[in-house]
Amino acid sequence: MAENKKVLLKVQNLKKHFPLKKRSLFQKEQLFIKANDGISIDIYEGETLGLVGESGCGKSTFGRTILQLYDQTEGNTLFYGRTLAEVAPKYVVDVIKTLSKQYPAYLADKKALDELVVSFESEKEDIEKAKLSSKIEKETARLENKYKNMFRIAGGLLTSEDLNKVSEVLLSEFKLKQKEAKIRRKIVVLEVQLTDPKVLANKAAISRIDAQIAKLKAELVSVHNLVEASSLKVKELKDSLQSNALFAAYEEQLDDGIDLSKLTTEEVRLLRQDIQIIFQDPYSSLNPRLTVGQIIGEGLLAHNFFKNANSKEYTDYITDVMEKCGLAPYFIHRYPHQFSGGQRQRIGIARALALNPKFIVCDEAVSALDVSIQSQIINLLIDLKKDNNLTYLFITHDLSVVKFISDRIGVMYLGNMVELGTSDQIFANPLHPYTEALLEAIPRTDVESNQELTILEGDIPSPIKPPKGCKFHTRCKYAFDKCKVVEPIWQEIEPGHFVACHLRGE
């Protein structure tokens, strides 16, 4: 799948820690609930990625954090559904303008980190070694968060002796690309207006819009030529730097993904059109004071799909979305309390779908529903995915459901991903003992199968101070000494099938 599919979301070393209130004035250590503790995964365009694990493992937190409903503690979430020029985030301009200050600061910080590494390697005392190891880990994370976007945006150009010139060339190219993206967006809006029946019935309006489109297209050609000339300057500058020792290493870090964690509140609000969520509870997630039409249309008005809620086009659009989600058009003026749980969940789906998003987090979207209603909602989600080329992160604890709907499945335990593979791989050949235990716990109707449940040893460890080594070793029947000390690495055992377990691989 990685070879044939485009990455829509790239999550790198994502951490979300919730601080706990100190119990007394004398408590020095700040404690955290480590809900997500270093998750890295690619989500591909058009796929359904299932996410499973027992309650409290951090599934819902992960979904909400990548949507920036929670602020990330560490790590990166890159979105590829739009270009940087289309969104034009403020952080890109800030990075470009400050290259001459940021890069020397990075070199100084990197030198200090290298000195810490040397001290660690020469230290013989175990206690001091452990302290240095913790310090190195924190400093590495700090440098990653602070400087990573500098490398993504500038790449090998950072090896130039004149970083002010680099800033000037990159800023010129970025602003021209931003201008080009705005013109393209205006043309699309005008072309959509030409499909309006009212406009089609008015020859004067058609002529006026055609003239505007022709003028914008002429301007687009002119601006595009400027973009190409500006990009040529960037290329010439890179060609002159290729002999530098660090050029290739820096150039590999170039990335046009949008770093969601660096966006302002307003920029994230604009991207809500592309990234949506269906909440777990179909009762508390709907405003009881709004009608169904107002709930579904709220986002449409906020993102300027329509100028007001009084037009026939606005009503027709909402009723069309409702019908796609299995809701009768005459429900449009009813309130949430007048619907069943399944119907309310359909309203939540319609609200998320109305903005034509690219990515939807389904956070336990069917867990509160009856089995018969669950099947209806799941079939609806599958049909909508095919019709609208949607990408889902489907969070659930029901393995039977996730097998049916998912292309790939990730298994989470205590804030970490422990296994990832296709649906068939996970069910036919589970590699992690925790995955084995989850699969054995699926209820079966075959009474003659002599199903025996693996009783996991002990209770779930605390996410505040998780066990050292493999977090699962306190409950694993296969655990040995290495599991208690060394954290397992994330490795690919077979194509597309990853696991973090000492029992597998080397």
Side-chain angles (χ1 to χ4, degrees):
M1 181 172 288
E3 295 178 358
N4 303 322
K5 292 270 189 174
K6 174 191 171 186
V7 175
L8 183 66
L9 270 169
K10 183 186 287 290
V11 181
Q12 299 172 319
N13 195 35
L14 179 73
K15 293 185 180 181
K16 177 56 187 174
H17 298 173
F18 295 97
L20 291 175
K21 185 178 180 180
K22 292 186 177 181
R23 294 182 178 180
S24 71
L25 294 173
F26 304 102
Q27 180 182 332
K28 295 182 179 180
E29 183 183 5
Q30 174 65 64
L31 299 177
F32 296 87
I33 295 178
K34 298 177 181 179
N36 296 145
D37 199 24
I39 299 174
S40 297
I41 191 171
D42 291 344
I43 301 175
Y44 300 108
E45 192 175 81
E47 80 164 338
T48 298
L49 175 66
L51 195 59
V52 299
E54 56 197 341
S55 298
C57 69
K59 305 185 301 296
S60 294
T61 300
F62 176 71
R64 295 182 182 216
T65 303
I66 63 176
L67 294 186
Q68 304 306 307
L69 296 177
Y70 296 148
D71 292 332
Q72 297 175 195
T73 304
E74 283 181 21
N76 301 283
T77 305
L78 303 179
F79 178 65
Y80 298 91
R82 295 197 191 189
T83 65
L84 282 168
E86 288 175 325
V87 179
K90 181 178 178 292
Y91 80 83
V92 174
V93 176
D94 291 342
V95 167
I96 292 174
K97 286 182 175 179
T98 58
L99 289 178
S100 59
K101 294 180 180 179
Q102 278 200 57
Y103 186 62
Y106 163 77
L107 292 177
D109 287 344
K110 181 69 167 60
K111 184 179 178 182
L113 178 60
D114 291 340
E115 289 173 355
L116 277 177
V117 173
V118 171
S119 300
F120 172 80
E121 291 172 348
S122 61
E123 182 62 56
K124 294 181 180 180
E125 293 290 334
D126 289 343
I127 296 177
E128 290 301 318
K129 210 172 180 72
K131 288 180 180 178
L132 284 170
S133 176
S134 176
K135 194 172 182 180
I136 288 170
E137 184 180 346
K138 289 179 181 178
E139 187 64 13
T140 301
R142 187 184 74 82
L143 263 64
E144 177 87 8
N145 287 334
K146 186 174 181 180
Y147 299 111
K148 190 65 177 177
N149 281 319
M150 176 179 70
F151 289 97
R152 290 195 187 107
I153 293 166
L157 292 175
L158 289 170
T159 59
S160 172
E161 293 181 358
D162 188 355
L163 289 176
N164 287 319
K165 182 182 178 181
V166 171
S167 295
E168 182 183 337
V169 171
L170 285 178
L171 192 59
S172 174
E173 181 190 37
F174 182 70
K175 287 188 174 180
L176 286 169
K177 285 183 176 180
Q178 183 181 345
K179 187 175 181 180
E180 183 183 26
K182 283 183 178 179
I183 296 171
R184 290 186 188 278
R185 193 158 53 244
K186 288 178 181 178
I187 291 173
V188 170
V189 171
L190 290 172
E191 287 176 342
V192 170
Q193 288 181 16
L194 283 176
T195 63
D196 189 331
K198 289 183 178 179
V199 174
L200 291 173
N202 188 333
K203 290 183 178 180
I206 293 174
S207 298
R208 186 183 73 254
I209 293 173
D210 283 339
Q212 289 176 328
I213 291 175
K215 183 180 179 182
L216 285 170
K217 284 185 174 178
E219 186 181 356
L220 181 62
V221 171
S222 176
V223 173
H224 183 69
N225 290 335
L226 292 174
V227 169
E228 288 190 333
S230 183
S231 297
L232 184 61
K233 288 183 180 180
V234 174
K235 185 179 181 303
E236 290 173 351
L237 188 53
K238 285 186 177 182
D239 289 342
S240 68
L241 298 170
Q242 287 191 8
S243 60
N244 289 346
L246 294 172
F247 179 85
Y250 287 178
E251 192 69 5
E252 285 180 357
Q253 298 183 55
L254 274 177
D255 198 317
D256 60 353
I258 300 166
D259 188 351
L260 297 181
S261 65
K262 301 297 183 189
L263 299 182
T264 64
T265 303
E266 187 58 34
E267 288 165 351
V268 171
R269 192 186 300 275
L270 290 172
L271 273 183
R272 287 282 174 248
Q273 179 182 338
D274 294 329
I275 49 178
Q276 285 285 309
I277 184 170
I278 301 168
F279 292 98
Q280 176 178 358
D281 187 355
Y283 294 88
S284 63
S285 62
L286 302 179
N287 190 332
R289 294 180 177 85
L290 299 182
T291 64
V292 172
Q294 290 171 329
I295 289 170
I296 298 172
E298 194 173 18
L300 296 171
L301 296 175
H303 289 275
N304 300 314
F305 276 61
F306 298 93
K307 292 182 179 179
N308 58 68
N310 300 320
S311 66
K312 183 178 182 299
E313 292 78 12
Y314 170 82
T315 304
D316 289 344
Y317 184 88
I318 289 178
T319 54
D320 181 56
V321 172
M322 289 173 64
E323 286 182 317
K324 285 181 180 178
C325 297
L327 295 166
Y330 62 83
F331 288 163
I332 192 169
H333 298 300
R334 292 188 180 181
Y335 289 87
H337 73 271
Q338 297 174 281
F339 296 92
S340 67
Q343 288 174 320
R344 292 188 192 204
Q345 197 61 286
R346 289 175 185 269
I347 296 169
I349 293 170
R351 174 176 59 186
L353 190 69
L355 292 169
N356 294 319
K358 294 180 174 69
F359 176 68
I360 299 178
V361 172
C362 304
D363 183 12
E364 303 271 14
V366 296
S367 63
L369 308 176
D370 294 336
V371 174
S372 59
I373 305 300
Q374 279 187 11
S375 63
Q376 293 176 21
I377 297 298
I378 290 168
N379 288 328
L380 171 63
L381 290 170
I382 292 172
D383 291 339
L384 292 173
K385 175 190 170 184
K386 292 177 181 176
D387 295 340
N388 299 278
N389 192 32
L390 296 172
T391 303
Y392 292 139
L393 173 64
F394 193 85
I395 299 169
T396 183
H397 57 261
D398 191 332
L399 284 159
S400 301
V401 169
V402 83
K403 181 182 181 182
F404 180 72
I405 196 173
S406 301
D407 300 303
R408 290 190 302 154
I409 297 174
V411 182
M412 276 189 67
Y413 181 77
L414 209 63
N416 289 103
M417 198 80 71
V418 296
E419 188 168 355
L420 173 68
T422 65
S423 181
D424 291 338
Q425 286 173 334
I426 294 294
F427 279 81
N429 182 30
L431 297 177
H432 199 281
Y434 179 60
T435 310
E436 289 180 19
L438 291 179
L439 294 177
E440 287 178 359
I442 298 175
R444 292 172 173 81
T445 56
D446 184 6
V447 294
E448 297 179 358
S449 63
N450 297 320
Q451 177 186 3
E452 294 183 9
L453 297 183
T454 299
I455 305 301
L456 299 176
E457 300 174 359
D459 298 323
I460 302 174
S462 170
I464 301 172
K465 289 187 176 181
K468 293 181 179 179
C470 175
K471 292 182 179 180
F472 187 62
H473 83 260
T474 58
R475 306 173 70 196
C476 181
K477 60 183 179 181
Y478 306 117
F480 53 98
D481 291 342
K482 186 178 180 182
C483 301
K484 301 173 184 178
V485 181
V486 181
E487 185 176 346
I489 61 170
W490 185 250
Q491 54 187 327
E492 188 173 17
I493 303 301
E494 57 180 322
H497 198 172
F498 299 83
V499 70
C501 181
H502 290 302
L503 297 170
R504 309 298 177 183
E506 292 295 328

